[in-house]
Amino acid sequence: MNILYRAYLIFIFSLIAALTWADAANERPKVIAGFGSSVCHGSGDHLGQGGYIGRLQELLQVRGWTVVDVSRGGDNTITINDRWEITDKKPLRTVQQGFHILPHKPGYVIIGLSLANEGIRKDDAAAREKIFQQFRTGMLGIIERCRREGMQVIVANCYPHGEYSPEQYKAVKRMNLLINNWDVPSINLLGSIDDGCGRWVNGFDNDPGHPNGGGHEEMFYAITPSLFDAIAMGKPQPSYVDGNGCVRVVDSSNVALSFTPDDPIHSFTTTFEVRTDGDCILSSISGSAGVLENTKYLSSGKEQTSLQVKKGISPFSASLSTENGKLVYTSSTGKKIFSKIELPKNKWRRITISHRCAKGETLVYVDDQIIGVLQERIIPESFNLGISGTADFKNWMVYRSSLNEDEVKALCSGKLIKSSLEIYAPLNDESFIAGQPVNNKAQSLSQAIVKGNNMIHLKSVE
């Protein structure tokens, strides 16, 4: 079969898939509503851009979408139920005009509520568990009601609070793992602005309960921009693929596969499974070094310091390689992380790079074991796989947020983390043609592109 004919078949199959998605999708208004509490409403955004929902509105309006925000400060899974539609029933709290969701007739809704408003900040374990289950039950009820009203639901996951304790942080991470198992797309807000202890990164907070403008901006970058178009086309949510083939990159001397995002990414995770029979360069990240911009502003009469991450003028590159059977991460600065964990020949390992842009921190994992941390700040512009040598790859994922240790462990146990997932390439395609995209199961329209002619489909991963 010649290359042109194979390319033609791929085009036809892609067209059929797109038409199938379109037929499967319900016709919904291209109106997205933010439906949550104060952070979802943009509270604390000293830049006056309406928080992460306001920034989403600016991004998507030129793409044919309308974004409205009917969030209200202080709401939780109980009080928000007063705001479906105007009724004669007395609400628990007064509802201002325009803050009921159904009159806006959205086809899509981003539910943005917090465990903090629910009452999770309790020292007693039994009390926390009661609140945890109340939030879970309440969220599922809201999702069910939205669906009955014809809306497609997207959940904005639980996010930091400036006064969370370690036990409260555990509850937040546990809830986010639970949401990842639900039949809904979701956004990993926590990984965009977490200081590693469940609190806002210093300088990105307005007060304990809210981020400032810089913090809202980081949260906005966790939203996959083409998620809504993908849903409108009927593209299904991803499911984990294993045991169904992989790709072998043979004698590579250049990039074999590359993903270049169309929209800026700050915090990110890139993760894949790999097996090798010798030393090679597995992957690389290129882009620019991020820099912090420091500004002062007044909040409630008090001077505050705000940080924003900006793209710097210095280029950045990093790579992952195997040297003498061990993994090495090399930063653009020349700093390295050396794994003490052996990478046995012909044995699958999951390798993960998780970058917290606001904090300026890169974490590298082999399977579910962290092997090191570097202080650096990256604005990535391309993610690359298969740089030199020979290696087998499968299940490559790129996220628009930083995965924490619990989420990495979940991946390593065979569970799929869906929140803020932009690329999920199982790499089990029947063929790999230079210049053509590989199959992307993530609920996005982004593409990872084959760069060379040295990728071979293996039917078995054994």
Side-chain angles (χ1 to χ4, degrees):
M1 186 183 296
N2 63 50
I3 292 177
L4 287 176
Y5 183 61
R6 282 188 294 178
Y8 171 75
L9 287 179
I10 289 175
F11 170 76
I12 293 298
F13 290 146
S14 299
L15 181 61
I16 291 172
L19 290 173
T20 301
W21 295 342
D23 288 342
N26 295 321
E27 287 296 328
R28 299 186 184 92
K30 294 184 70 173
V31 178
I32 304 165
F35 190 45
S37 54
S38 57
V39 171
C40 193
H41 191 62
S43 294
D45 185 357
H46 71 288
L47 299 173
Q49 296 181 30
Y52 67 87
I53 294 292
R55 288 166 174 80
L56 182 66
Q57 178 185 25
E58 182 179 358
L59 176 73
L60 294 186
Q61 65 182 358
V62 296
R63 306 181 187 188
W65 290 86
T66 298
V67 180
V68 298
D69 196 345
V70 291
S71 300
R72 180 178 65 167
D75 265 356
N76 55 33
T77 63
I78 297 171
T79 60
I80 200 171
N81 288 300
D82 286 333
R83 300 197 295 107
W84 292 103
E85 56 192 339
I86 301 172
T87 67
D88 293 332
K89 182 180 178 181
K90 184 178 180 180
L92 294 173
R93 301 169 62 209
T94 301
V95 183
Q96 294 179 324
Q97 185 176 357
F99 280 77
H100 294 90
I101 187 172
L102 294 184
H104 294 275
K105 300 181 179 179
Y108 303 76
V109 57
I110 299 173
I111 302 173
L113 294 171
S114 75
L115 271 173
N117 277 9
E118 203 75 19
I120 201 67
R121 289 180 54 222
K122 298 181 183 297
D123 294 329
D124 180 73
R128 282 197 307 273
E129 182 63 22
K130 183 178 180 180
I131 292 298
F132 184 95
Q133 296 302 333
Q134 175 182 298
F135 185 86
R136 171 188 173 276
T137 301
M139 286 291 291
L140 291 173
I142 295 166
I143 290 168
E144 181 183 0
R145 174 72 187 269
C146 287
R147 287 173 169 168
R148 288 203 309 268
E149 300 290 351
M151 290 178 273
Q152 167 65 50
V153 177
I154 299 93
V155 173
N157 290 3
C158 298
Y159 46 83
H161 188 281
E163 296 176 349
Y164 274 152
S165 69
E167 293 304 317
Q168 293 156 12
Y169 180 38
K170 287 180 182 178
V172 169
K173 292 190 291 182
R174 178 184 163 205
M175 179 56 68
N176 286 351
L177 284 175
L178 188 62
I179 291 170
N180 266 285
N181 288 325
W182 294 349
D183 182 26
V184 290
S186 52
I187 304 162
N188 186 356
L189 296 181
L190 178 68
S192 69
I193 197 66
D194 183 10
D195 72 347
C197 299
R199 301 183 176 190
W200 310 108
V201 175
N202 189 35
F204 290 85
D205 56 321
N206 181 74
D207 56 62
H210 306 92
N212 59 25
H216 275 287
E217 189 166 81
E218 295 305 304
M219 296 170 87
F220 159 69
Y221 286 127
I223 304 172
T224 301
S226 62
L227 169 65
F228 306 94
D229 284 318
I231 295 172
M233 292 174 61
K235 188 174 185 182
Q237 293 181 60
S239 57
Y240 191 76
V241 175
D242 200 16
N244 191 28
C246 62
V247 64
R248 174 164 293 170
V249 178
V250 182
D251 296 327
S252 179
S253 59
N254 208 333
V255 174
L257 187 64
S258 183
F259 165 54
T260 300
D262 293 329
D263 297 278
I265 294 179
H266 280 196
S267 291
F268 68 83
T269 302
T270 177
T271 179
F272 53 86
E273 293 177 79
V274 65
R275 64 182 176 187
T276 69
D277 60 2
D279 292 350
C280 54
I281 302 177
L282 303 175
S283 69
S284 67
I285 301 163
S286 62
S288 301
V291 297
L292 292 180
E293 183 179 275
N294 188 317
T295 59
K296 302 289 186 181
Y297 70 101
L298 289 178
S299 177
S300 301
K302 179 182 176 182
E303 186 176 74
Q304 299 269 70
T305 298
S306 167
L307 296 178
Q308 282 183 272
V309 178
K310 299 294 184 181
K311 181 178 177 180
I313 60 174
S314 300
F316 182 96
S317 63
S319 65
L320 275 173
S321 59
T322 54
E323 298 179 14
N324 299 317
K326 295 183 178 180
L327 187 75
V328 179
Y329 173 84
T330 304
S331 173
S332 187
T333 62
K335 294 180 180 179
K336 295 188 177 186
I337 295 174
F338 295 91
S339 169
K340 295 180 180 179
I341 302 173
E342 294 284 347
L343 298 178
K345 290 185 178 181
N346 300 316
K347 182 177 179 179
W348 288 104
R349 295 284 197 183
R350 175 166 289 283
I351 309 298
T352 302
I353 300 174
S354 181
H355 180 67
R356 295 169 174 164
C357 189
K359 190 175 182 183
E361 183 176 77
T362 298
L363 303 91
V364 182
Y365 295 82
V366 174
D367 295 330
D368 60 0
Q369 300 297 310
I370 188 166
I371 65 166
V373 180
L374 276 183
Q375 303 305 309
E376 59 187 7
R377 188 167 284 105
I378 311 169
I379 307 296
E381 294 168 11
S382 69
F383 300 88
N384 309 301
L385 211 61
I387 314 302
S388 72
T390 297
D392 299 340
F393 297 92
K394 63 178 180 176
N395 290 322
W396 181 32
M397 304 167 195
V398 179
Y399 294 85
R400 299 182 67 90
S401 197
S402 171
L403 297 189
N404 59 50
E405 66 279 7
D406 292 358
E407 291 163 333
V408 173
K409 286 180 181 179
L411 275 180
C412 292
S413 70
K415 297 178 181 177
L416 180 61
I417 299 297
K418 297 184 293 183
S419 299
S420 298
L421 179 62
E422 185 157 12
I423 292 289
Y424 174 22
L427 300 178
N428 60 354
D429 306 50
E430 288 294 330
S431 61
F432 298 89
I433 302 170
Q436 296 297 315
V438 295
N439 179 31
N440 177 22
K441 290 178 67 67
Q443 213 165 18
S444 83
L445 302 182
S446 300
Q447 295 181 330
I449 304 296
V450 176
K451 308 298 285 188
N453 293 309
N454 56 343
M455 298 175 67
I456 301 171
H457 170 71
L458 300 182
K459 293 184 178 180
S460 174
V461 297
E462 300 300 326

